[in-house]
Amino acid sequence: MTSFRWRAEARAGHARAGWLDTAHGSVPTPTFMPVGTVGTVKAMTMDSVRATGAGIVLGNTYHLMLRPGAERVRELGGLHRFMDWPGPILTDSGGFQVMSLGPLRKLDQDGVTFSSHIDGSKHRLTPERSTDIQHALDATISMCFDECPALPAPPEVIQKSMRMSMRWAERCRDAFVQRPGYAQYGIIQGGTEPELRAESVKALTGIGFEGYAIGGLAVGEGQELMFSTLDVTTPLIPDSSPRYLMGVGTPDDLLGGVERGVDMFDCVMPTRAGRTARAYTERGTLNMRNARHAKDSRPISPHCDCLACTRHSRAYLHHLFRTNEILGPMLLTWHNLAYYQRLMRGMRAAIVDGSFTAHASHLRAQWAMDDWSGDEMPFPDIPPVA
C-alpha cells in the first residue's frame, strides 16, 4: 500500500507545488478541500464535486458522531463508501465545533463535556475519543483534538490553551493507529503571538506527525495579522511535511497562503456563498439577486466550464434565486467550487512553470476590476480537470 508523504515538484519563493500521496490516491498541491461536514458537500452530488476537479474533501467528527454515529458509518463500510467518495478524506477533530458551543460545553484538562445542539443530549470528547471516532470513519487524514480560543484574547489565555492542546496532541498521537497511506496532523496553536507559535511547532515536531496544520486563525484577527502569523510560522514547519491552513478562506486568503508556503486549505465560504446567491469570479463577487442580472444573457464567467456557466445565463440564475428554486443554490455552489479549484490549478501551474509572481499580480489586478465591464485583460489558460 502507498506510504503517506508529501513530495515537492517545484517552488517559487516560499510557494510550493507538490503531490500528497495517500492510501486513497494522490492529490496535487496546493489544494482546496470542499467541506463535507456531515458526509455531504451541501447542494452537491459527489459526481458534481469530482467534476469541479476536487481531489480531497473534508468531514467532521463532531457532526458525524452525533448523526448518524461513527460506529454506524463503520458498519456501513466507512465514510468513503457512505458518502461515495473513494478519494482522500480529512476529518476535523470536532474541537472547533465543540469550543463554539459556548455555555453548552464544559472544558477540563482531560477533555470536553457538551450538550448536543440537536437534542441537548450529553456527550464527551477527549483526545482519545476524537482519534477513535476518526479511525472508525476511516479518515485518510485525522486531526488532533485541540482547543481554538477566539481572538483577540490575552497572551496568558492563549498560552494556557496552546499548552493544553499540545498535551492533548501527545495523547492523540498515542491513540492513533498507524497504517500505510494514512496520516495524523498536529495542529499549531498560539494565536498571533510568534513566541507561542514557535513553542507549539517545537512541541508538535518533537512528538512527530505526518503533517502539520496551522489552526487558530481566521477567527477574527484580520488578514494582515493572519499573514504575519503565517510569515513566522510556516518556515518553522519541516520542509518535507504538508502544511494545512485550517478554515481559510477568500480567494485572496488562498493566494496569500500559497505565497507563504501553505499546501492545503478548506473553508465553507464557496459553498455557503453559493447558497446565498453570491458568485465568485476572476473579477470579484457577484450577487445574483441583484436586479441588474435580470436581463443579462452572459454566463457568470466566460472562463468557467461548470454547468452554471456552460448551460445557463446570469438572468436564469437571478430568476432561480428570486423564485427560491433549489436549483439556484445547486448551480451556484457548483460554480463557486469550480472557481476555487480553477484558482488552485492556476497557482500550481504558475509555480511549476516559473511564472508565479506574475500570476499572483495578475490575479490581484483582476479581482480589483469590476465585473467584466469594459476591456477585459487577457486571462491565462488554466489546466483542465484531470
Side-chain angles (χ1 to χ4, degrees):
M1 184 179 286
T2 303
S3 298
F4 185 94
R5 63 170 179 164
W6 179 83
R7 48 191 169 94
E9 181 176 346
R11 300 173 188 267
H14 294 295
R16 314 169 351 146
W19 290 89
L20 191 68
D21 296 327
T22 82
H24 298 102
S26 297
V27 181
T29 65
T31 188
F32 178 82
M33 299 179 285
V35 176
T37 302
V38 295
T40 174
V41 178
K42 291 184 186 298
M44 298 282 282
T45 68
M46 298 318 290
D47 279 342
S48 57
V49 175
R50 282 185 277 271
T52 68
I56 178 172
V57 298
L58 182 143
N60 183 263
T61 295
Y62 168 82
H63 290 281
L64 289 168
M65 72 174 282
L66 294 180
R67 291 186 302 195
E71 288 70 25
R72 181 173 296 175
V73 173
R74 174 162 50 192
E75 291 168 1
L76 293 169
L79 190 55
H80 299 270
R81 182 174 181 181
F82 190 59
M83 67 184 290
D84 183 31
W85 184 265
I89 298 174
L90 181 148
T91 48
D92 195 357
S93 68
F96 180 81
Q97 287 72 29
V98 170
M99 302 310 165
S100 300
L101 291 173
L104 296 178
R105 55 91 171 172
K106 183 177 180 180
L107 175 70
D108 57 59
Q109 291 297 312
D110 185 59
V112 185
T113 301
F114 63 94
S115 298
S116 166
H117 72 286
I118 300 168
D119 58 12
S121 57
K122 294 288 186 181
H123 299 270
R124 184 163 177 80
L125 270 178
T126 63
E128 293 80 8
R129 177 59 179 152
S130 172
T131 303
D132 290 346
I133 290 171
Q134 294 177 80
H135 180 78
L137 295 172
D138 194 31
T140 314
I141 301 173
S142 299
M143 301 302 299
C144 282
F145 188 62
D146 67 339
E147 183 190 19
C148 178
L151 299 179
E156 58 271 18
V157 171
I158 297 173
Q159 180 188 70
K160 181 179 179 181
S161 171
M162 180 273 290
R163 288 179 177 173
M164 183 176 68
S165 290
M166 297 306 98
R167 293 192 295 271
W168 285 2
E170 191 164 6
R171 290 165 57 188
C172 287
R173 194 57 176 171
D174 289 342
F176 179 67
V177 179
Q178 298 195 32
R179 294 145 289 161
Y182 288 77
Q184 185 182 49
Y185 285 13
I187 303 178
I188 302 162
Q189 291 290 353
T192 57
E193 306 294 325
E195 298 82 4
L196 296 182
R197 287 284 173 176
E199 181 181 334
S200 182
V201 173
K202 183 177 180 180
L204 293 174
T205 54
I207 297 169
F209 292 90
E210 286 78 18
Y212 298 90
I214 303 162
L217 294 177
V219 290
E221 76 284 355
Q223 189 188 70
E224 184 177 350
L225 263 178
M226 178 177 73
F227 283 166
S228 64
T229 303
L230 290 177
D231 286 334
V232 299
T233 303
T234 51
L236 302 176
I237 302 172
D239 184 72
S240 60
S241 301
R243 303 162 175 172
Y244 165 31
L245 178 56
M246 304 180 74
V248 175
T250 67
D252 190 44
D253 289 339
L254 300 186
L255 176 58
V258 169
E259 287 176 322
R260 290 162 174 81
V262 176
D263 308 303
M264 303 171 68
F265 303 84
D266 81 281
C267 191
V268 299
M269 202 166 285
T271 48
R272 182 174 292 166
R275 300 194 302 276
T276 56
R278 193 167 76 253
Y280 285 97
T281 79
E282 289 80 3
R283 294 194 177 179
T285 59
L286 302 175
N287 184 344
M288 300 313 300
R289 291 186 182 275
N290 285 353
R292 65 183 175 129
H293 302 303
K295 297 180 181 180
D296 195 334
S297 62
R298 295 177 298 171
I300 299 170
S301 167
H303 302 296
C304 186
D305 61 359
C306 78
L307 191 64
C309 291
T310 57
R311 301 281 187 88
H312 302 295
S313 66
R314 296 184 185 190
Y316 184 61
L317 270 294
H318 170 79
H319 163 72
L320 292 176
F321 278 98
R322 291 299 297 269
T323 55
N324 296 317
E325 285 293 334
I326 195 171
L327 183 59
M330 292 171 66
L331 288 173
L332 204 53
T333 298
W334 190 329
H335 166 80
N336 284 343
L337 287 178
Y339 171 69
Y340 267 59
Q341 296 301 331
R342 192 165 66 253
L343 174 66
M344 302 310 291
R345 290 198 304 273
M347 286 193 281
R348 187 182 195 282
I351 295 170
V352 171
D353 69 20
S355 64
F356 182 68
T357 299
H359 185 73
S361 296
H362 182 82
L363 286 173
R364 292 190 171 107
Q366 287 271 336
W367 290 330
M369 300 185 84
D370 181 25
D371 180 28
W372 312 105
S373 58
D375 295 332
E376 293 189 12
M377 296 171 64
F379 196 81
D381 291 336
I382 302 299
V385 177

